[in-house]
């Protein structure tokens, strides 16, 4: 049965997934928070400002840990969704290093593209007025937002489909092709949810960060199922 994509249904499903697996998700988020906090504490305490190699090494370690933590959450949520009625081995919830390096490659590629774009704009607009520079900066922000919407599911494809960096970018671009307005509205609602959470109960990153990622994962699955003629129950293995 074909199911068109629905923002309301997506949020409902994401909330149901979060409620059913709240304990597992929150424990994972707590462990990740402690690990990242510990690593960042040691990197702040140890003075390595005069050692370029040590700085690079710490940066690389932090990036690997943060990437592993993020993909680990994705892997955990996918596993819980797909194996709701089955026993799950701990190994099933762990991302592979191939996944980690694929996502790091994408992050470095996008960072390089943004830095190169900024340098090109600064050099190209040296002799223009401030108003022209501001207008170009607005266009740059819009371009980055557009790219973020088109490639926002690359991590999902890396974890769920074991795709490489280039393949996951291509798959995300195809998946989002006819849903930019849906995704823009979804992103706006997510920002409001995060802002409301901070305003009402303070900085509860431990809860907000996992829930936002569950929304992204469910959105990915809903879009995938909207493209094929199958039942899109998130508990069903595809």
């Amino acid at each position: 049965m074909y199911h068109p994509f629905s923002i309301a249904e997506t949020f409902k499903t994401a909330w149901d997934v979060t409620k059913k697996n709240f304990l597992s998700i929150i424990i994972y988020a707590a462990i990740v928070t402690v690990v990242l906090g510990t690593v960042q504490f040691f990197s702040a305490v140890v003075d390595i400002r005069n050692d370029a190699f040590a700085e690079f090494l710490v940066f690389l370690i932090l990036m690997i840990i943060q990437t592993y933590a993020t993909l680990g959450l994705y892997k955990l949520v996918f596993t819980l969704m797909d194996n709701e009625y089955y026993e799950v081995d701990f190994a099933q919830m762990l991302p592979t290093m191939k996944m980690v390096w694929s996502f790091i490659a994408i992050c470095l590629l996008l960072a390089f593209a943004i830095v190169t774009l900024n340098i090109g704009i600064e050099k190209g607009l040296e002799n223009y007025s401030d108003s022209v520079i501001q207008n170009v900066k607005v266009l740059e922000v819009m371009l980055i937002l557009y790219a973020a919407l088109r490639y926002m599911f690359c991590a999902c494809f890396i974890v769920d489909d074991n795709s490489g960096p280039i393949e996951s970018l291509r798959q995300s671009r195809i998946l989002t092709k006819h849903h930019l307005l849906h995704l823009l509205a979804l992103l706006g609602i997510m920002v409001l949810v995060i802002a409301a959470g901070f305003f009402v109960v303070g900085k509860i990153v431990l809860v907000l960060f996992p829930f936002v990622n569950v929304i992204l994962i469910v959105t990915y699955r809903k879009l995938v199922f909207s493209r094929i003629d199958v039942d899109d129950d998130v508990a069903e293995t595809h």
Side-chain angles (χ1 to χ4, degrees):
M1 181 177 179
Y2 179 73
H3 295 266
F5 178 74
S6 165
I7 292 178
E9 182 63 25
T10 297
F11 269 90
K12 179 182 180 301
T13 303
W15 180 244
D16 289 341
V17 170
T18 304
K19 284 194 301 181
K20 289 179 182 177
N21 304 287
F22 181 78
L23 188 60
S24 299
I25 293 173
I26 206 67
I27 289 175
Y28 178 85
I31 293 173
V32 167
T33 301
V34 171
V35 172
L36 289 177
T38 302
V39 174
Q40 290 174 344
F41 172 77
F42 279 109
S43 66
V45 170
V46 180
D47 188 5
I48 55 174
R49 287 173 295 180
N50 297 322
D51 191 335
F53 177 76
E55 285 186 341
F56 171 77
L57 189 61
V58 170
F59 169 77
L60 182 61
I61 291 173
L62 281 172
M63 175 174 269
I64 292 174
I65 293 175
Q66 290 174 338
T67 301
Y68 194 90
T70 300
L71 297 185
L73 177 61
Y74 276 57
K75 186 69 172 175
L76 172 65
V77 175
F78 275 124
T79 302
L80 293 173
M81 286 166 55
D82 292 340
N83 298 274
E84 182 178 357
Y85 305 110
Y86 306 95
E87 291 187 4
V88 178
D89 293 331
F90 180 72
Q92 291 179 258
M93 301 183 185
L94 300 178
T96 65
M97 287 309 298
K98 175 190 173 183
M99 297 176 183
V100 172
W101 289 118
S102 293
F103 191 71
I104 288 178
I106 290 175
C107 292
L108 293 177
L109 177 63
L110 294 180
F112 175 78
I114 292 173
V115 170
T116 302
L117 180 63
N118 278 325
I119 293 175
I121 290 175
E122 289 179 2
K123 289 187 176 182
L125 298 178
E126 287 179 348
N127 300 321
Y128 287 85
S129 64
D130 291 341
S131 61
V132 173
I133 294 176
Q134 287 181 342
N135 289 334
V136 173
K137 287 291 185 181
V138 170
L139 291 176
E140 180 189 6
V141 172
M142 293 176 64
L143 177 62
I144 292 174
L145 177 60
Y146 174 78
L149 290 173
R150 295 304 302 272
Y151 301 113
M152 65 191 298
F153 297 117
C154 59
C156 293
F157 280 108
I158 287 173
V159 174
D160 192 39
D161 206 34
N162 200 29
S163 301
I166 302 302
E167 179 64 14
S168 64
L169 289 172
R170 185 189 70 83
Q171 289 171 311
S172 181
R173 179 175 56 82
I174 293 173
L175 187 65
T176 58
K177 185 175 182 181
H178 300 296
H179 297 281
L180 285 182
L181 292 180
H182 286 130
L183 295 176
L184 192 59
L186 188 72
L187 183 63
I189 295 173
M190 288 167 60
V191 170
L192 290 176
V193 169
I194 294 172
F198 277 113
F199 179 76
V200 174
V201 291
K203 297 183 178 182
I204 50 171
V205 178
L206 201 63
V207 176
L208 290 177
F209 174 74
F211 180 58
V212 167
N213 282 278
V214 171
I215 294 173
L216 288 175
I217 291 169
V218 171
T219 302
Y220 156 81
R221 274 290 174 82
K222 292 287 185 180
L223 288 176
V224 168
F225 282 122
S226 72
R227 291 173 58 86
I228 54 180
D229 190 25
V230 297
D231 188 354
D232 68 344
D233 182 357
V234 295
E236 179 179 287
T237 305
H238 75 290

